[in-house]
Amino acid sequence: MAGLSFLERLKAGEILVADGATGTNLQARGLPTGTPTEAWLFDRPDEVVRLEREFVQAGADIILTNTFGGTAVKLQGHGWGERMAEVNRRAVELARQAVGDADVFVAGSIGPTGQLLKPMGSMEPEEAEAQFAAQARVLAEAGVDFLVIETQFDLGEATAAVKGVRSVCSLPLVVSFSYDRGTRTMMGVRPQKMAQEMSALDVDVLGINCGRSLDDNLSALQELAASARLPIWFKPNAGLPKLDEENRPIYDVTPEMMGAYTNTWIAEGARIVGGCCGTTPQHLQAIATVVKNR
Amino acid sequence: MEEVLKEIFQSIIDGDQKLTPQKVQEALDAGLEPGYILNEGMVAAMSEVGRLFEEGEYFVPEMLIAARAMQAGLAVLKPKMVEANIQSIGKVVAGTVKGDLHDIGKNLVCMMLEGAAFEIIDLGSDVPPEKFVEAVEKNGANIVAMSALLTTTMPNMKTTIEALKAAGLRGKVKVMVGGAPLTAKYAEEIGADGYAPDASRAVALAKDLVS
Ligand code: B1M
């Protein structure tokens, strides 16, 4: 369905394949732990493009930019706050390069600020909103097809993110939460509550990414599907890692296992499927093969 | 157990920042020992909160609110502990390592250590090695207590230990570490003097290190 927009393709009933993990794959390729993935936009752009290209070859219809930690406040944790615009522009450029002529969308990834909002933490909601607005503006101007606010856990921060995005652009918008306590986020938010609050905002797709086990992710999907009227984005992690001798994470969910779940995800209501932490291009290929052979 | 201790316990579980200090005051007025109030009422409550979190009954907000209630109670208790002539048994420079903003566990450990009569110099979170070094020098600390919750920031514990070495302080100060992704083996590998899996064992370890 070449030439159609993201929302048009969803409307036409298509099941789309999103990409796999950025961070864990770059780490497996040598990104030192503790270094933000965004650093490789400048240090190893070839590796960033190679990974994204592998996802395209594996069957992804959507590539997310390497900008998960791309708000200025998050980048500042590594002293990169002032390079926010440069980082986000560069990431879109590299993703476009990886995608080339393929009929694949480039989506701008927006992750949490890494801080808690008041009264739990010290960040004002208005400050969070401004942070998200600034990142979204750069991503939009650099030409992403749509935006994905992901791995959210707090309704307040996610609301600030949506408001921030909406203050600068009207691109299609996905909001995805991480249920890392099973079917609750670490703040205790349930999928149903998330659906209710996020649907009241100007959001196009609701999602789940990066939780606990594949079964926990599936339970969260079922709960979300029961209350969501919007299309569902679903990128579970390949289970939780164990650490090897060198403290490198080992994910024991195989590509076959993820492939074996894919039809269930779709049957339970997922319209866009992919994977989060631990999902290699091989895992993604297993997922994409199931989707394309339906 | 005394009724008032049960009330302190419950007020912390409920995260009642007003009630906890009131009940601690009542317990003191009734002549209960500060150390007894601390351990039986407050530390026990925070362990219960930890259990509720592990079991998925409590989430981060409930845990943070409980910790604040505990802190409010501790503010009432502390002067009494000083009066009761429970002298400082050691100075601890504490912090979450560079790049890491998780401070809930570290704060609990600090509160417990404070309750156990350690003097705490809390450097907060995202603390670079040079700040640990500076604080140890300035305060003549006996212990450096580092926390890390991210696999990506754990190596900064090692960096800090090396900075202490480079500053010639490693022989003068004991290093203890903790945080969910750590293990005793890792602590040993990076050359720390001890590891504690939770706050109460952190107290036992700290006492051990200064004895
Ligand atoms: C010195 O001696 C000692 C001795 C004992 C010591 C000790 C020191 N320090 C601790 N102990 C021990 O005693 C304490 C009491 O018994 C214990 O302390 P703990 O700290 O273990 O336990 C606390 C009492 C309760 N536990 C906690 O407070 C941590 C809870 C979870 C939910 C968590 C929280 C709350 C937060 N987080 Co974050 N967070 C998670 C956690 C997931 C989980 N379910 O555990 C974890 C730790 N986080 C994680 C991540 C990835 C992140 N977080 C982030 C941010 C946050 C918040 C700011 C939102 C918030 C922190 C708020 C704050 N002010 O602390 C980001 C990083 C920010 C940063 N640079 O630090 C971010 C990167 C998320 C993002 N993508 O932005 C994961 C780490 C994975 C890993 N192993 O590397 C994580 C396991 C979640 C997950 N399931 O993936 C013991 O370990």
Side-chain angles (χ1 to χ4, degrees):
Chain A
M1 298 194 203
L4 292 186
S5 76
F6 173 58
L7 293 183
E8 283 165 346
R9 285 174 71 171
L10 283 179
K11 208 167 198 175
E14 200 180 339
I15 303 293
L16 294 171
V17 178
D19 61 2
T22 299
T24 57
N25 282 307
L26 292 183
Q27 277 162 1
R29 293 162 192 220
L31 175 77
T33 51
T35 305
T37 57
E38 288 83 4
W40 271 21
L41 292 168
F42 303 97
D43 298 346
R44 298 298 305 277
D46 52 320
E47 283 293 346
V48 174
V49 171
R50 191 160 73 96
L51 176 64
E52 289 171 348
R53 209 164 263 162
E54 283 174 23
F55 282 132
V56 171
Q57 281 157 3
D61 300 304
I62 298 160
I63 293 295
L64 278 112
T65 55
N66 179 6
T67 54
F68 179 77
T71 51
V73 59
K74 186 78 187 276
L75 290 168
Q76 188 51 37
H78 307 278
W80 280 27
E82 284 173 8
R83 300 181 69 182
M84 187 280 290
E86 188 193 351
V87 165
N88 284 282
R89 266 198 303 270
R90 174 82 170 167
V92 178
E93 242 171 66
L94 294 186
R96 283 281 171 220
Q97 204 177 312
V99 164
D101 298 333
D103 190 18
V104 170
F105 297 114
V106 169
S109 163
I110 298 177
T113 59
Q115 314 217 1
L116 292 180
L117 293 198
K118 278 191 172 168
M120 294 296 145
S122 56
M123 192 178 257
E124 296 284 354
E126 294 74 23
E127 167 61 12
E129 202 176 312
Q131 289 282 336
F132 290 118
Q135 184 187 9
R137 171 176 283 131
V138 177
L139 289 169
E141 283 173 3
V144 295
D145 297 305
F146 63 97
L147 291 168
V148 183
I149 297 170
E150 54 178 342
T151 328
Q152 298 294 308
F153 47 83
D154 177 41
L155 291 167
E157 184 171 355
T159 301
V162 173
K163 285 187 178 167
V165 166
R166 284 296 174 239
S167 70
V168 297
C169 78
S170 55
L171 287 172
L173 181 59
V174 179
V175 177
S176 176
F177 273 54
S178 173
Y179 298 93
D180 72 353
R181 304 294 288 171
T183 55
R184 304 268 211 116
T185 73
M186 71 178 196
M187 303 305 271
V189 180
R190 297 174 192 280
Q192 183 204 7
K193 180 81 177 156
M194 176 268 195
Q196 187 188 332
E197 300 243 337
M198 292 299 120
S199 304
L201 303 171
D202 189 0
V203 165
D204 302 289
V205 175
L206 299 179
I208 292 173
N209 73 285
C210 220
R212 214 155 55 179
S213 66
L214 283 179
D215 282 329
D216 286 330
N217 273 293
L218 180 60
S219 303
L221 171 62
Q222 288 161 338
E223 284 190 30
L224 180 61
S227 41
R229 294 220 199 86
L230 295 169
I232 295 177
W233 165 280
F234 188 61
K235 284 184 68 173
N237 48 313
L240 285 182
K242 298 189 183 70
L243 296 182
D244 74 0
E245 298 280 295
E246 310 272 276
N247 289 305
R248 279 177 311 225
I250 308 291
Y251 289 85
D252 51 17
V253 169
T254 61
E256 294 68 36
M257 286 159 81
M258 273 183 115
Y261 267 91
T262 306
N263 271 322
T264 311
W265 300 338
I266 296 167
E268 294 293 344
R271 298 290 307 284
I272 304 113
V273 293
C276 206
C277 296
T279 307
T280 66
Q282 292 74 43
H283 288 86
L284 196 77
Q285 182 153 30
I287 294 169
T289 305
V290 172
V291 173
K292 310 287 162 173
N293 291 333
R294 286 172 74 244
Chain B
M1 195 197 286
E2 289 80 355
E3 195 55 34
V4 66
L5 283 186
K6 286 186 196 150
E7 287 169 344
I8 292 173
F9 182 92
Q10 194 56 44
S11 71
I12 291 178
I13 305 263
D14 297 340
D16 193 330
Q17 273 182 71
K18 280 216 182 84
L19 196 60
T20 306
Q22 275 174 25
K23 290 292 163 189
V24 169
Q25 189 59 55
E26 258 177 51
L28 287 169
D29 294 345
L32 296 182
E33 291 282 334
Y36 180 64
I37 299 173
L38 180 78
N39 286 315
E40 300 303 315
M42 303 169 79
V43 172
M46 283 317 293
S47 305
E48 175 65 5
V49 169
R51 193 187 65 79
L52 290 168
F53 180 72
E54 284 313 314
E55 294 196 342
E57 188 112 351
Y58 268 20
F59 295 90
V60 169
E62 291 82 3
M63 198 167 50
L64 277 172
I65 292 167
R68 282 177 198 173
M70 163 106 180
Q71 212 138 25
L74 212 50
V76 176
L77 204 58
K78 259 208 72 194
K80 300 297 163 201
M81 299 188 63
V82 176
E83 260 172 50
N85 207 12
I86 305 174
Q87 278 176 347
S88 163
I89 57 174
K91 270 191 197 173
V92 181
V93 164
T96 307
V97 296
K98 186 166 191 277
D100 202 323
L101 298 172
H102 296 87
D103 64 0
I104 301 171
K106 186 264 302 164
N107 291 347
L108 283 182
V109 170
C110 285
M111 278 194 272
M112 304 291 203
L113 286 174
E114 201 169 4
F118 281 92
E119 187 182 332
I120 307 295
I121 298 124
D122 185 355
L123 304 177
S125 55
D126 189 15
V127 181
E130 54 286 6
K131 272 193 109 181
F132 278 107
V133 170
E134 194 189 303
V136 171
E137 271 173 345
K138 202 172 125 209
N139 300 288
N142 313 91
I143 296 180
V144 170
M146 288 185 275
S147 182
L149 265 284
L150 298 169
T151 40
T152 53
T153 57
M154 281 161 53
N156 293 335
M157 295 184 149
K158 189 169 177 211
T159 317
T160 306
I161 292 176
E162 273 154 16
L164 289 167
K165 267 189 207 151
L169 294 169
R170 188 63 188 92
K172 297 181 192 149
V173 74
K174 300 283 185 190
V175 175
M176 59 185 278
V177 295
L182 268 79
T183 58
K185 185 164 160 277
Y186 183 77
E188 194 184 329
E189 273 166 24
I190 62 170
D193 298 301
Y195 155 81
D198 57 46
S200 44
R201 274 174 280 188
V203 172
L205 171 63
K207 284 184 173 165
D208 221 40
L209 291 176
V210 294
S211 71

